[in-house]
Amino acid sequence: MDQARDQTMLLEEILQRLERLENQHWERAIEQIDLGQFAIDLRRSRVGVFPDEYCTGNIWDVLLELYDAKRSGEKLKLSEIATSAKIPESLVLRYVNLLSADGFLSHAEDANNHDEPHIVLTEKAMTQIDLLFKYTRMRVSASPGPSDVADNDTAIAMDSAAKVI
């Protein structure tokens, strides 16, 4: 009975150490991410995915606000986009017109307020932005990531634990 308890306690201790080790690897990996290079990669990547005029000025902020809203199930009005992106409504309106003409935005009527419709990204826009983020993530993850290191250390620790038990 004592041997089983000792083995259980040993396994729990190993698991705790592995969790701490994994957390340390994640922290080191995050520290090693070159945020400047990540930003440059994202900026350069979007030029290949979106028209040139979408990659300058505040139009990108409008796209991101609408992307975030759609992912969270929200619908934004022009005034809400302007407020959250900190861009004048007149400029947001110009961007909305451009993005709508290119098929990236649609308008949804608000049942409570017929004066100002909701503005939502189309599936075309969602697909383009998702592809852009996927491409950028692949570039960042091309270098050995924390999960690779943590998985390797976990396997080594489990082999050692098996030998002890």
Side-chain angles (χ1 to χ4, degrees):
M1 191 76 131
D2 288 332
Q3 185 180 9
R5 189 174 342 126
D6 289 344
Q7 289 177 348
T8 302
M9 290 175 56
L10 178 62
L11 286 174
E12 287 175 359
E13 183 180 338
I14 290 171
L15 285 175
Q16 289 173 354
R17 288 183 180 186
L18 288 173
E19 287 173 5
R20 285 196 303 267
L21 182 63
E22 185 175 7
N23 288 337
Q24 289 172 353
H25 285 295
W26 274 107
E27 289 169 4
R28 273 190 259 149
I30 289 170
E31 289 171 0
Q32 292 175 1
I33 291 175
D34 183 349
L35 292 178
Q37 187 62 49
F38 178 79
I40 289 169
D41 287 345
L42 182 60
R43 180 176 296 276
R44 288 181 182 156
S45 298
R46 69 182 184 184
V47 170
V49 175
F50 289 99
D52 289 343
E53 61 268 17
Y54 290 11
C55 301
T56 60
N58 296 322
I59 195 167
W60 182 246
D61 293 336
V62 170
L63 277 168
L64 291 179
E65 290 294 339
L66 290 165
Y67 177 81
D68 187 47
K70 183 150 186 169
R71 286 187 45 153
S72 63
E74 297 176 36
K75 294 181 181 177
L76 300 176
K77 298 179 181 184
L78 183 78
S79 58
E80 295 168 331
I81 297 167
T83 300
S84 58
K86 297 177 178 48
I87 303 170
E89 276 189 49
S90 59
L91 191 55
V92 173
L93 180 59
R94 191 169 81 184
Y95 294 150
V96 165
N97 289 335
L98 176 66
L99 292 164
S100 295
D102 286 344
F104 285 99
L105 300 183
S106 65
H107 303 296
E109 290 295 322
D110 182 357
N112 299 327
N113 181 0
H114 298 287
D115 295 336
E116 190 177 6
H118 289 111
I119 300 164
V120 294
L121 286 180
T122 61
E123 286 307 310
K124 174 184 175 180
M126 288 297 290
T127 300
Q128 292 295 97
I129 294 172
D130 284 338
L131 285 172
L132 172 65
F133 290 156
K134 182 178 180 181
Y135 172 76
T136 305
R137 276 193 299 269
M138 286 185 339
R139 285 185 55 110
V140 170
S141 65
S143 59
S147 60
D148 299 333
V149 174
D151 289 344
N152 186 36
D153 288 342
T154 300
I156 293 168
M158 291 304 269
D159 286 343
S160 299
K163 290 175 187 171
V164 170
I165 298 174

